[in-house]
Amino acid sequence: NAGVTQTPKFQVLKTGQSMTLQCAQDMNHNSMYWYRQDPGMGLRLIYYSASEGTTDKGEVPNGYNVSRLNKREFSLRLESAAPSQTSVYFCASRRRANTGELFFGEGSRLTVL
Amino acid sequence: AQTVTQSQPEMSVQEAETVTLSCTYDTSESDYYLFWYKQPPSRQMILVIRQEAYKQQNATENRFSVNFQKAAKSFSLKISDSQLGDAAMYFCAYRETGNQFYFGTGTSLTVIP
């Protein structure tokens, strides 16, 4: 049972380069999320998708785009990476039940030089 | 956006002793959900315990229990018989009946042998 799988685990980019973080879940969850984690700031929501075909902005969406490819997959794209986007990124998913908690991937550490 | 406050950036506890981590939140809602997540050095986010606001009884999971004070908007985590494996960053999280989760900035727990 893989749960939530993120790729890549580590990535180094130069300023201005683009990249996509991939996320897939095998739990048949409806909702999927992308968070970033920075020291002293907890987890901040970038984008989420309540269900297949919908996406919504979170607290810090600038500089990012997302695609909910199907029910399983939710990707995060950095079109022109900036040093301020150096962070650890987490994908998470949740079933729709009210008590549903978030299930997280292992995180992706991104460094932008 | 809702706010979740963890006022203790760092805590330490002797092995086998008890420690309490604090969390307060701001909301005008009556129906919501609260969670504690653990993040060990492996970076994986793991659910420790959850509480539904409509339940008066405090949640308990083995050595982990909460003190939920709805009127005070307080949700503290008590870890009994602390073990070396409890050393981690702990995050408090809040969710209303919608999709967004709000996280605190975390408390780093050190367990002293």
Side-chain angles (χ1 to χ4, degrees):
Chain A
N1 188 359
V4 179
T5 303
Q6 291 180 230
T7 56
K9 297 289 191 294
F10 300 92
Q11 184 73 50
V12 178
L13 291 176
K14 295 181 179 179
T15 297
Q17 287 185 318
S18 63
M19 76 157 296
T20 300
L21 295 173
Q22 306 285 356
C23 176
Q25 52 92 9
D26 62 1
M27 296 174 283
N28 201 34
H29 285 173
N30 292 303
S31 301
M32 298 186 73
Y33 302 75
W34 277 106
Y35 286 89
R36 60 177 289 172
Q37 182 180 18
D38 302 291
M41 303 191 74
L43 279 78
R44 293 182 292 168
L45 182 64
I46 305 171
Y47 272 93
Y48 69 99
S49 170
S51 60
E52 185 179 355
T54 68
T55 60
D56 287 285
K57 295 179 180 180
E59 183 182 357
V60 289
N62 291 344
Y64 304 95
N65 287 302
V66 290
S67 295
R68 184 73 183 267
L69 304 171
N70 47 55
K71 191 171 185 179
R72 291 186 63 249
E73 299 173 287
F74 188 41
S75 63
L76 178 72
R77 183 163 178 83
L78 286 69
E79 291 290 351
S80 179
S84 61
Q85 295 176 304
T86 294
S87 188
V88 177
Y89 292 85
F90 285 94
C91 178
S93 70
R94 184 178 76 87
R95 63 187 177 98
R96 194 168 281 172
N98 273 339
T99 55
E101 71 270 24
L102 289 173
F103 289 81
F104 285 87
E106 294 180 341
S108 300
R109 180 175 292 278
L110 175 65
T111 301
V112 183
L113 303 175
Chain B
Q2 306 301 333
T3 56
V4 177
T5 302
Q6 295 180 248
S7 59
Q8 307 153 315
E10 297 178 345
M11 293 280 286
S12 62
V13 62
Q14 293 281 349
E15 195 175 3
E17 296 296 311
T18 296
V19 64
T20 299
L21 308 184
S22 300
C23 174
T24 59
Y25 54 93
D26 178 30
T27 185
S28 57
E29 300 295 323
S30 60
D31 191 16
Y32 51 87
Y33 307 88
L34 297 163
F35 308 84
W36 278 99
Y37 279 89
K38 171 185 177 181
Q39 185 180 42
S42 67
R43 209 167 63 194
Q44 180 70 52
M45 294 283 286
I46 303 163
L47 178 70
V48 175
I49 199 165
R50 67 180 170 202
Q51 174 82 42
E52 293 87 349
Y54 64 85
K55 290 186 177 179
Q56 294 185 340
Q57 186 173 6
N58 289 325
T60 299
E61 289 287 344
N62 301 314
R63 297 182 295 108
F64 298 87
S65 61
V66 300
N67 183 7
F68 173 48
Q69 302 288 330
K70 191 171 185 179
K73 299 178 185 176
S74 171
F75 182 60
S76 60
L77 175 69
K78 186 172 83 171
I79 306 174
S80 304
D81 186 25
S82 297
Q83 301 176 0
L84 295 177
D86 295 333
M89 183 73 81
Y90 287 82
F91 291 96
C92 178
Y94 162 99
R95 184 179 70 82
E96 294 170 354
T97 53
N99 285 296
Q100 291 203 36
F101 287 70
Y102 299 92
F103 285 82
T105 53
T107 296
S108 178
L109 179 66
T110 299
V111 180
I112 302 167

